[in-house]
């Protein structure tokens, strides 16, 4: 029996890059650091089901927040389910990142369920900023 109320969001974008480039941007620490608002040298990724990740996010005002978690599901070039550790909770918060090829472009869908409307609104806003930054990173042509 779940007492969780569904406070979820879904964001969809079409990115001007092939699926494999988008995948590498999400799963390669050096690339992820270039667009995901992280402190240099703080990203670690073991991209496999059960593999751990960590990163320190830097806020616009210079605050730093260490984040940790694990990969709950991995299907190369198609799906990443990223578990994020939440203080005080036994279960991670999960973010689902789905990729679909659209010719030379990629359709990305990000979904997340949260515990409160406030948490959802913050997570959705943060994810929208991440997707904007990812789109800019992929558009600059240096993502490899």
């Amino acid at each position: 029996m779940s007492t969780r109320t569904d406070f979820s969001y879904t964001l969809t974008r079409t990115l001007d890059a092939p699926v494999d480039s988008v995948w590498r941007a999400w799963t390669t620490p050096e690339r992820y650091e270039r667009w995901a608002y992280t402190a240099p040298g703080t990203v670690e990724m073991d991209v496999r089901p059960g593999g751990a990740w960590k990163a320190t996010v830097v806020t616009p005002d210079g605050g730093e927040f260490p984040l940790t978690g694990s990969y709950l599901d991995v299907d190369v070039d198609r799906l990443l389910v990223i578990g994020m550790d939440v203080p005080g909770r036994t279960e991670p918060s999960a973010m689902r990142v789905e990729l679909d090829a659209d010719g030379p472009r990629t359709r990305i869908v990000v979904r997340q369920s949260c515990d409160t409307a406030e948490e959802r609104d913050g997570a959705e806003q943060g994810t929208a900023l991440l997707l904007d930054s990812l789109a800019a990173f992929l558009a600059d042509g240096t993502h490899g």
Side-chain angles (χ1 to χ4, degrees):
M1 182 164 131
S2 175
T3 58
R4 184 180 190 137
T5 304
D6 187 29
F7 295 103
S8 62
Y9 69 88
T10 300
L11 294 175
T12 303
R13 302 275 175 92
T14 299
L15 303 169
D16 287 320
V19 167
D20 64 327
S21 291
V22 176
W23 179 263
R24 286 193 314 269
W26 274 95
T27 61
T28 306
E30 299 76 25
R31 288 186 172 108
Y32 189 82
E33 282 183 355
R34 291 172 51 200
W35 64 270
Y37 304 104
T38 61
T42 66
V43 177
E44 295 180 20
M45 300 175 162
D46 181 6
V47 185
R48 61 182 173 83
W53 66 268
K54 71 178 185 174
T56 298
V57 173
V58 180
T59 62
D61 64 1
E64 293 191 3
F65 294 93
L67 301 175
T68 59
S70 63
Y71 295 97
L72 305 176
D73 196 1
V74 176
D75 186 356
V76 175
D77 289 347
R78 297 192 56 217
L79 175 69
L80 267 181
V81 181
I82 304 162
M84 294 169 279
D85 297 332
V86 179
R89 283 190 24 199
T90 56
E91 294 295 315
S93 176
M95 175 187 283
R96 184 177 179 90
V97 179
E98 302 166 16
L99 305 176
D100 287 305
D102 182 10
R105 302 170 82 195
T106 301
R107 182 173 178 264
I108 186 170
V109 179
V110 179
R111 305 174 200 275
Q112 186 174 1
S113 292
C114 301
D115 288 333
T116 66
E118 183 180 53
E119 182 185 329
R120 179 210 48 222
D121 293 348
E124 184 173 13
Q125 182 180 38
T127 300
L129 289 171
L130 274 178
L131 291 176
D132 289 346
S133 184
L134 174 61
F137 168 71
L138 294 167
D140 84 0
T142 64
H143 56 273

